[in-house]
Amino acid sequence: MTTSAELRASFLEYFEQRGHERVVSSPLIPANDPTLLFTNAGMVQFKEVFLGRERRDYSRAVSSQRCVRAGGKHNDLENVGYTARHHTFFEMLGNFSFGDYFKRDAIEFAWDYLTGVLKLPPERLWVTVFTEDQDAADIWLNELKVDPSRFSRCGAKDNFWSMGDTGPCGPCSEIFYDHGPEIAGGPPGSPDEDGDRYVEIWNLVFMQYNRDAEGKLTPLPRPSVDTGMGLERLAAVMQGVHSNYDIDLFRSLIAAAAEVTGCGDLGDKSLRVIADHIRATAFLIVDGVTPGNEGRGYVLRRIMRRAIRHGYRLGCAEPFFHRLLAPLIAEMGAAYPELKAGQAHVERIIKLEEERFAETLEHGMRILEEAIAGMSDGVILGETVFKLYDTYGFPTDLTADIARERGLALDMKGFESAMAEQKERARAASQFGATQSLEIEVQGETDFCGYDRLQEEATVVAVYKD
Ligand code: ATP
Ligand code: MG
Ligand code: MG
Ligand code: MG
């Protein structure tokens, strides 16, 4: 079996042998980029190089980049536990050309690596190009002789990439793996492409144009290449399993999660969520985020509390989440020494958050259960969602996660008006000089101020939304 660690090494080595500089993963907090919540792709640390604002002494690079997609433009949090292929934290393998090679080499490298080095059968692969990208189509069909019946042209939604509203952009070519007819889902570009049968493994982006403020595209003098392949998805393919959660690394983490929670069913969805979330949690803390009530810290808190609630669902009354750090280090510590170095700190932060949430989790769950037992229309009242949020520290997405498990919906409109009412009360109170007593009252029930936090959340949404 090819382990995840061996695949990472093999990819880096393949491109290093072809003149690429091996660049270490950058942290999850992007340097100098306040518009981006977390590093969500391999290209992030090279953004300035692609824009021509920064020079490096190499024009080809290869990396295995740690990524988090749990907020902002790319948010896969809601997919975790539901699809076979999405994580909040994952590693993106990528090769990059900064005005050096372009389409032909990028495509040839990718095909050679998959079919030549990893020996994947071409009849299990599927290739897409952007509808208007005839150059890429010619290379795939005429030069590499890819089977035209396993090839499709897709529109801009999936196959045209841009860095922002202006700046470098260009067509993509994506490579999918066909996990076989036993799994539901159609090929890319077909009406039922959303299934899990054809899994996208590698995205090749050809940065070919510059888009100006009027939307006009002009060819870049030195086009570039940015590619990204999910290590966990590739490992699933190479290990002959369909779900990322069945690869070596996740099997160990899931077994460890089963042990610390006392769950006897290794297939339980909550174990997958916990195994996913310990990675995001540990790496975010190592990279300097701490759970808090705003911005990145609040995203981390949401991830942690979701995991803690899944442990609670499995019957865990004691803090368990921090105990997964040692098993995570056993899996990933060699590739990421910072994880081992930060072990004590990370464990402490996680345990603190577990203890903190334990103070309100059980009571909040009781309130939610009562509300669910007493309702008739399958919708959890906005007032309840707000009370859980404001008094019991349940982020709304955590309540939504529970609702989804049970086929229920949340009344988010009602939640928002409950919030607006509370803000109004706070405002009125402050006009009469009574803020202090209100704050004390709020803090008596919980240790943070609900409306402040929400304001922050609203800001985060406004700032980081597409
Ligand atoms: P998908 O369509 O499956 O959501 P994507 O098009 O959003 O993937 P890209 O932005 O093209 O993904 O990222 C490049 C590669 O990174 C993907 O081809 C995939 O292998 C991997 N990848 C993307 N998102 C995730 C995730 N949430 N978990 C694991 N791997 C991912
Ligand atoms: Mg996606
Ligand atoms: Mg995609
Ligand atoms: Mg893609």
Side-chain angles (χ1 to χ4, degrees), residues 289-358:
V289 186
T290 45
N293 294 333
E294 57 189 79
R296 295 179 174 122
Y298 194 54
V299 177
L300 172 59
R301 169 160 282 163
R302 284 164 48 210
I303 295 172
M304 295 175 84
R305 292 195 171 190
R306 274 171 96 117
I308 297 165
R309 202 283 304 177
H310 276 280
Y312 179 86
R313 176 181 168 262
L314 296 175
C316 236
E318 295 297 310
F320 67 95
F321 199 40
H322 64 286
R323 293 173 59 201
L324 291 173
L325 204 64
L328 176 65
I329 290 170
E331 289 301 313
M332 300 189 69
Y336 294 96
E338 53 269 64
L339 213 49
K340 176 88 194 138
Q343 178 167 4
H345 167 70
V346 177
E347 281 173 344
R348 198 173 50 81
I349 303 250
I350 299 180
K351 188 146 181 269
L352 267 175
E353 182 69 9
E354 291 192 83
E355 287 163 356
R356 201 166 191 207
F357 192 33

Side-chain angles (χ1 to χ4, degrees), residues 69 74 76 85-90 92 158 174 200-203 228-230 232-233 244:
R69 293 190 173 185
H74 288 287
D76 287 327
R85 66 183 196 277
H86 287 106
H87 305 295
T88 54
F89 172 95
F90 64 101
M92 195 184 283
D158 285 313
E174 296 194 320
E200 176 189 327
I201 52 174
W202 205 344
N203 188 0
M229 171 154 65
E232 299 79 5
R233 293 189 190 183
N244 283 10

Side-chain angles (χ1 to χ4, degrees), residues 87-107:
H87 305 295
T88 54
F89 172 95
F90 64 101
E91 284 179 84
M92 195 184 283
L93 305 168
N95 57 292
F96 307 91
S97 153
F98 311 114
D100 188 283
Y101 61 82
F102 198 44
K103 270 178 216 181
R104 172 167 297 105
D105 288 321
I107 291 174

